[in-house]
Amino acid sequence: MSQMPQLPQLAVCPACAEPLEAGDNFCGGCGAALSAGPTRAHQGPTRYGQGSYGPASDDGQNSSGRERRGQEPGGRGPGGQEPGGRAPYGQEPSGRAPYGQEPSGPKPYGPGSNGQGPYGQEPYGQGWNEQGSAQYGQGPERQAPGGQVSNGQAPDGRAPYQEAAPGASAPFPPVAAGPAPEDYPLAAPAAGAPAEGGTPAGRGAGSGPAETTTGSGTDTGTSRGSGLGTGRPQGQTAAAGPADGVSDPREDVMVGGPRGRQCGACRVGVIDKDGYCERCGRPQPRERDHMEEELADVAAVSDRGLRHHRNEDAFALSAAALADGAPAVVAVVCDGVSSATRPDEASEAAAVAARASLTASLPRGTHPRQAMHDALLAAAESVGALAEPVNQPREHDDHRHHQNAPACTIVSAVVAAGGLTVGWIGDSRAYWVPDDRATRAARLTEDDSWAAQMVANGLMSQAEAYADDRAHAITGWLGADAYELEPHTASFSPDRPGVVVVCTDGLWNYAESAEQMAAAVPADARTRPLRGARSLVDHALDGGGHDNVTVAILPFPGPSQGAGSA
Amino acid sequence: MATFSKSNVPQFSVEVYQNEYLPEGGREVNAIVTVTATGGGTTGGTIGGATAGGMVSSASIGTGAGAGGGTEWGDPTAAGRADRGPDAAVVIMVDCSGSMDYPPTKMRGARDATAAAVGTVRDGVAFAVVAGTHQAKEVYPGGGRLAVASEATRAQAKDALRKLSAGGGTAIGTWLRLADRLLGSADVAIRHGILLTDGRNEHESPEDLRNSLEACAGRFTCDARGVGTDWEVKEVTAIASALLGSADIVADPAGLTADFTRMMESAMGKEVGDVTLRLWTPQGAEVVFVKQVAPTVEELTGRRMESGPRSGDYPTGSWGDESRDYHVCVRVPDAGVGREMLAARVSLVLPEAAGGGAPRPLSQGLVRAVWTDDLAASTSINPQVAHYTGQAELARVIQQGLHLRKAGDIDGATAKLGRAVQLAGVSGNEGTAKLLAKVVDVVDAATGTVRLKAKVTEEAEMTLETRSTKTVRVKK
Ligand SMILES: [Zn+2]
Ligand SMILES: [Zn+2]
């Protein structure tokens, strides 16, 4: 359940000795937050310096080749199975209005902003809405082209995806499938890269070298967990978080009307016209501090976390339709690069632009893989536009980032017609978590991070790379100063129901491996995605909430059993 | 009181420069607040001779939402005052003590300078001339009144100056009290004095002078000048400091005319008086200090007048078209990593209008505190804050160094003045560096290696001390 972490209750304020009321996070006398929390150096993605390190520029060169191979946008869809411009997944004309709900911006959560919104009334309660699941994928007879291949070829039932090699121990097909000249070292799960799509048979063969070098996708999670886990507090922060009495910003809410509102921090002062309490100086909660949104078959939650003063993550959701009217669900999650200027604007612009691109191109029959590729480029363009010189420097917090153009990461997922497509740039991730937890969960993305690159290029072992200070510096991002834009996309056709978890590092820091993520996802996440997303955000906050946390959950009904989620 | 001198009322803008990031447990927030008044219809007005020419207007940088925020707005009532004439009164106080005749050029210089200053009083401005000895006498117009400047009254005043002669002692407090009485008789926004002395305040106790300054503070502003080298730097700078004016030395009486003219022009350039800097701080915070740091260092911390809950006002005097920087240091309660707090709200305020209106904020800026565990963010020092911290230290070590030198502590003086040379060098304060070079031989400015000069003129030493508080702005 989505519950607040319980804080140890103090009797008096340690700062001014004023007696405290139960449940207070702030002293009524002095306004002090009644807690102190653990420290951690990492704050959001930081960009890995351009050309400042050999391997990075090496990679830059590699990546152009990779881009040619990997993207080959052509728009033909995987394997050329769809003759030009055909709907890629499933041809059953559903004719159903897809999800009925308008794509709308994230709704601010919290009193004062939308008491009347669909979710505002019961912020952590039953406000979520189940209707959508019934609408999902009606035609039981629907068969995605990919599905035909994959279902037949997964003999042991453990490999949920179409291209998985028979007998492969991994849920995903080997990255560098056999002899295929796959030099897409990071995108292990990129099973359906269009370039390879045409030779699905070849991909199943053997376990590629990339599997061993990156360990991605095929990793058991044990080794990954230990590798990535270095310096990534799992247990420690869980213990150090709320147990140390970190005050929970979720309780930092406003009481009273929009003007002359009472301060949620000191509960005595009134919020001034510039947004700060006239007594204790604490700011009013901002709209983006906590956002939730739920559509018929997708939900997302974003939270400022416990250690950052603003939320630089953003998300965008939408219901769309394919050319044949089959419903498609879109989720985009972005994480602002905190070492850049205006990261919050970057993430929001990127999320909105990617969603707009997807919802425009999917109904035109563009293959989801291609649509995803285009959406990443559209997002990049929108972030790049933020850096245009018309934007004067507007802040004097000049500790480091006047010159840094706004930047962010992006990860997006589209669920449509029995398939799912992911796309990403940076270190935000997507995970596949099947309903049946006995079968394997998987990470669908590969970080554009320094450590991942070092490992991929065979320059360091996983353990070495992730022990390095630079491990989490990202090597790919959206922004005017991104030296090489390298969108990654991949398509999958899972053969069983489950959910796609799309998130920023603020979540996966606390559930790094696919197994850990699967353990954190509630069992009913597919039918109650908003609740599931809240639960995952809580998981991160309970773990310490060191970063902004954003997660979207897209239910996947299964390949062809129709309304599998109902 | 709070009326405007002209139809063209200046717009005030406030810009805040700070690193708002504090480390875990950090409490001290520093910010440089740049206040700029523009659009008042005058140009080049600065606050007095000691500061003339030193101003570089800051780049106009807007502010992001809530961050380092500043706002500006004009005075909505300005249009209604368009028909009013100059709304100012000036009293010139000339030292006529016996010492002014030694050498006789001093008295002559003072007379000429006063005449020149009278010549620059704008039509309509109320003015008077006071002769100061161990007592104060009205020279013009007399009768406890002020004259209204016109061609005729200016000529009469110059005539009256011819009668000035030296004789008697020095009791500056009496001069100030007479000026206050005269200025108080005028219903004007800008009240200003110009005071010239050549000697020590020998005919009253230091307490008398202090009491007079206290009585006059906030009632009028005053520039003070020492002519020759027989006056006491501390007395002259204390007058200017208490009365929010400038202090300077005019070692050569021949330079008085130009200096008086400049001072009067500056006074005539003032458009709004009695502006206070209002500082709001949150519950549980303490104000460590508030200083003007440009164009000169002026400690304001002790001049706070409580103006409401968690809010106090610091006097800034009158403003023309000019820009000043303030260093605000506040200690706030620790709110914890990931939290933000408004550490201070800085606004410029006019006191209540004569008609009983409420004090009007002219503009405001926000000083924020954001706690982070990002050490790179929290450990960086804002360049403006660093610069002015250095400028304040520069003023301090000059004064300490000169004091030690007088006391015969050669090593101590060498260390302090060496540090001053170093600070002046790195901050680009060339004016102060030049003055220092007349007192010490600079071996290596970068390391602050100096030797005290064997022979230093009284003038060089007094000039350095008087101008020690003069600062420069951050090199762009
Ligand atoms: Zn993050
Ligand atoms: Zn408050």
Side-chain angles (χ1 to χ4, degrees):
Chain A
M1 304 293 282
S2 309
Q3 295 200 329
M4 310 292 174
Q6 294 304 303
L7 304 180
Q9 199 58 49
L10 301 166
V12 296
C13 173
C16 71
E18 169 140 329
L20 301 174
E21 289 176 27
D24 268 2
N25 279 332
F26 298 88
C27 171
C30 68
L34 301 175
S35 61
T39 56
R40 192 176 71 160
H42 175 68
Q43 295 200 334
T46 50
R47 280 178 294 193
Y48 180 61
Q50 306 177 14
S52 62
Y53 195 84
S57 34
D58 285 349
D59 171 64
Q61 279 144 22
N62 291 347
S63 65
S64 53
R66 198 185 306 152
E67 185 160 37
R68 282 196 303 276
R69 190 186 330 273
Q71 259 113 36
E72 210 62 45
R76 281 287 131 24
Q81 290 172 355
E82 288 93 27
R86 293 274 304 111
Y89 295 118
Q91 39 277 59
E92 125 258 312
S94 103
R96 297 206 16 76
Y99 300 92
Q101 274 164 281
E102 289 299 311
S104 58
K107 295 187 176 54
Y109 160 68
S113 50
N114 69 338
Q116 77 289 33
Y119 320 113
Q121 312 277 26
E122 293 162 324
Y124 281 92
Q126 294 76 4
W128 55 278
N129 144 4
E130 283 181 305
Q131 56 168 352
S133 40
Q135 300 175 339
Y136 200 93
Q138 281 84 83
E141 74 291 352
R142 174 177 66 188
Q143 297 202 328
Q148 294 164 341
V149 180
S150 92
N151 293 337
Q153 286 182 350
D156 62 356
R158 285 170 52 238
Y161 301 110
Q162 70 172 95
E163 290 104 345
S169 63
F172 289 105
V175 185
E182 168 69 77
D183 68 349
Y184 191 50
L186 301 187
E196 299 94 47
T199 58
R203 357 190 55 236
S207 59
E211 183 183 24
T212 49
T213 52
T214 70
S216 24
T218 59
D219 211 306
T220 62
T222 327
S223 64
R224 169 170 299 282
S226 61
L228 289 183
T230 309
R232 284 289 166 156
Q234 300 283 354
Q236 313 115 279
T237 48
D244 279 4
V246 170
S247 55
D248 192 325
R250 287 170 287 186
E251 298 190 1
D252 239 5
V253 294
M254 230 32 97
V255 230
R259 279 285 149 183
R261 292 153 306 193
Q262 192 189 333
C263 169
C266 72
R267 300 180 199 277
V268 175
V270 171
I271 300 299
D272 216 320
K273 64 179 185 301
D274 47 29
Y276 294 93
C277 173
E278 49 80 31
R279 182 172 179 276
C280 72
R282 295 292 303 280
Q284 73 176 105
R286 295 177 175 91
E287 198 174 83
R288 283 178 69 170
D289 283 357
H290 186 95
M291 298 180 288
E292 298 191 350
E293 186 178 8
E294 185 181 46
L295 301 182
D297 248 318
V298 58
V301 177
S302 181
D303 196 279
R304 179 168 62 102
L306 302 174
R307 305 285 276 178
H308 283 253
H309 75 287
R310 75 178 165 193
N311 189 357
E312 296 166 355
D313 287 357
F315 67 81
L317 307 180
S318 182
L322 303 182
D324 62 1
V329 175
V330 171
V332 187
V333 165
C334 297
D335 185 345
V337 173
S338 60
S339 56
T341 187
R342 293 181 282 138
D344 50 336
E345 292 178 32
S347 60
E348 182 157 37
V352 168
R355 176 181 62 187
S357 175
L358 285 165
T359 53
S361 61
L362 289 172
R364 288 200 300 261
T366 312
H367 185 274
R369 189 82 185 274
Q370 179 62 44
M372 181 62 76
H373 178 83
D374 297 344
L376 297 178
L377 294 180
E381 198 172 307
S382 72
V383 177
L386 292 176
E388 274 166 11
V390 285
N391 293 298
Q392 297 292 329
R394 302 187 309 171
E395 298 191 8
H396 296 144
D397 54 338
D398 43 8
H399 68 283
R400 56 188 168 177
H401 46 62
H402 260 317
Q403 263 51 288
N404 282 337
C408 66
T409 70
I410 188 168
V411 59
S412 175
V414 172
V415 169
L420 72 90
T421 298
V422 297
W424 74 97
I425 296 174
D427 69 349
S428 296
R429 294 182 176 179
Y431 293 83
W432 163 254
V433 178
D435 277 5
D436 177 3
R437 299 299 161 79
T439 59
R440 189 164 290 147
R443 171 141 69 91
L444 307 178
T445 56
E446 188 62 42
D447 300 344
D448 285 324
S449 73
W450 184 88
Q453 299 235 336
M454 295 307 280
V455 174
N457 292 326
L459 296 168
M460 278 179 147
S461 74
Q462 179 132 322
E464 286 169 341
Y466 282 91
D468 194 282
D469 280 348
R470 295 162 289 190
H472 296 280
I474 58 173
T475 53
W477 62 85
L478 308 179
D481 57 354
Y483 57 101
E484 176 119 21
L485 196 63
E486 191 190 346
H488 315 292
T489 61
S491 291
F492 308 93
S493 295
D495 65 351
R496 62 202 63 203
V499 294
V500 182
V501 175
V502 177
C503 64
T504 59
D505 62 341
L507 172 61
W508 68 249
N509 280 336
Y510 302 102
E512 202 286 314
S513 69
E515 285 68 25
Q516 288 167 327
M517 185 61 75
V521 172
D524 61 354
R526 188 168 54 84
T527 52
R528 310 176 79 184
L530 177 59
R531 213 184 64 127
R534 286 173 181 159
S535 176
L536 288 175
V537 167
D538 282 343
H539 176 78
L541 297 183
D542 292 351
H546 281 87
D547 201 351
N548 307 142
V549 193
T550 302
V551 57
I553 289 184
L554 298 88
F556 184 83
S560 57
Q561 71 265 48
S565 62
Chain B
M1 290 280 284
T3 52
F4 292 92
S5 59
K6 301 191 185 59
S7 55
N8 294 327
V9 172
Q11 301 235 328
F12 282 82
S13 69
V14 174
E15 291 172 81
V16 175
Y17 297 86
Q18 67 164 142
N19 174 20
E20 68 270 40
Y21 293 103
L22 294 178
E24 185 155 33
R27 294 186 56 205
E28 203 167 282
V29 182
N30 282 279
I32 300 300
V33 179
T34 296
V35 179
T36 305
T38 49
T42 62
T43 52
T46 63
I47 59 169
T51 64
M55 312 289 295
V56 180
S57 74
S58 74
S60 181
I61 300 174
T63 54
T71 57
E72 58 182 286
W73 55 89
D75 173 40
T77 64
R81 303 177 191 282
D83 53 341
R84 297 189 51 160
D87 199 5
V90 184
V91 171
I92 304 172
M93 293 157 270
V94 190
D95 190 343
C96 291
S97 61
S99 58
M100 284 294 283
D101 257 346
Y102 304 96
T105 50
K106 233 197 275 181
M107 195 65 240
R108 208 182 306 135
R111 212 185 285 125
D112 292 349
T114 305
V118 165
T120 63
V121 176
R122 287 188 194 158
D123 283 354
V125 170
F127 76 102
V129 179
V130 167
T133 56
H134 53 282
Q135 56 190 338
K137 278 190 193 136
E138 296 173 58
V139 176
Y140 181 84
R145 297 178 302 112
L146 295 162
V148 175
S150 66
E151 215 154 317
T153 54
R154 282 190 293 264
Q156 288 164 16
K158 286 175 191 172
D159 266 353
L161 288 172
R162 295 208 186 94
K163 291 176 279 187
L164 279 187
S165 61
T170 306
I172 294 174
T174 64
W175 315 354
L176 293 169
R177 286 180 186 272
L178 175 57
D180 182 37
R181 274 200 301 283
L182 292 170
L183 290 167
S185 69
D187 177 22
V188 291
I190 312 286
R191 295 184 179 79
H192 190 70
I194 291 177
L195 183 147
L196 175 79
T197 183
D198 83 318
R200 293 179 179 79
N201 193 41
E202 289 167 329
H203 296 89
E204 65 179 358
S205 70
E207 288 74 28
D208 288 338
L209 178 56
R210 214 175 303 129
N211 290 340
S212 297
L213 286 172
E214 248 164 59
C216 297
R219 295 177 54 82
F220 65 97
T221 54
C222 185
D223 297 321
R225 294 293 182 269
V227 63
T229 54
D230 295 326
W231 48 280
E232 194 64 51
V233 173
K234 291 266 177 317
E235 282 173 6
V236 168
T237 55
I239 293 164
S241 178
L243 301 180
L244 300 167
S246 65
D248 205 359
I249 179 172
V250 186
D252 181 356
L256 270 177
T257 297
D259 188 46
F260 264 50
T261 305
R262 215 163 35 233
M263 267 191 289
M264 186 59 81
E265 278 168 355
S266 171
M268 294 295 101
K270 300 298 180 187
E271 289 131 352
V272 55
D274 298 319
V275 178
T276 60
L277 186 135
R278 177 164 296 174
L279 189 69
W280 173 94
T281 49
Q283 180 78 10
E286 54 183 298
V287 177
V288 180
F289 61 78
V290 177
K291 281 177 200 168
Q292 180 188 287
V293 288
T296 57
V297 178
E298 195 63 68
E299 183 62 61
L300 298 175
T301 316
R303 305 196 201 177
R304 178 185 173 106
M305 304 268 284
E306 295 302 319
S307 59
R310 298 171 286 282
S311 161
D313 287 355
Y314 301 83
T316 68
S318 54
W319 288 71
D321 277 13
E322 63 188 285
S323 182
R324 306 181 200 173
D325 291 343
Y326 297 88
H327 186 166
V328 173
C329 180
V330 175
R331 197 171 292 133
V332 295
D334 177 16
V337 166
R339 300 299 181 153
E340 178 187 347
M341 183 184 283
L342 185 64
R345 186 187 282 113
V346 182
S347 46
L348 285 171
V349 178
L350 282 181
E352 68 272 21
R360 280 177 305 124
L362 298 174
S363 59
Q364 75 168 24
L366 305 180
V367 178
R368 300 188 310 142
V370 174
W371 284 264
T372 179
D373 47 17
D374 179 350
L375 285 178
S378 62
T379 54
S380 85
I381 298 175
N382 177 281
Q384 298 263 353
V385 171
H387 172 79
Y388 283 123
T389 303
Q391 294 291 289
E393 185 191 352
L394 174 59
R396 198 165 57 240
V397 292
I398 288 172
Q399 287 159 25
Q400 289 169 343
L402 291 175
H403 178 81
L404 291 170
R405 189 177 165 281
K406 269 178 216 155
D409 180 349
I410 300 303
D411 288 348
T414 305
K416 294 289 181 190
L417 294 174
R419 173 68 177 153
V421 166
Q422 190 182 27
L423 287 166
V426 295
S427 64
N429 193 334
E430 284 166 29
T432 300
K434 272 184 203 145
L435 297 177
L436 279 162
K438 292 180 179 169
V439 177
V440 297
D441 290 319
V442 178
V443 179
D444 180 22
T447 58
T449 311
V450 301
R451 271 190 301 271
L452 297 190
K453 278 187 188 296
K455 247 185 115 148
V456 175
T457 64
E458 199 106 47
E459 178 188 342
E461 194 175 335
M462 291 175 74
T463 305
L464 177 60
E465 186 176 358
T466 308
R467 297 182 185 172
S468 62
T469 57
K470 193 184 169 204
T471 60
V472 293
R473 286 191 146 164
V474 179
K475 282 184 280 188
K476 290 280 194 279

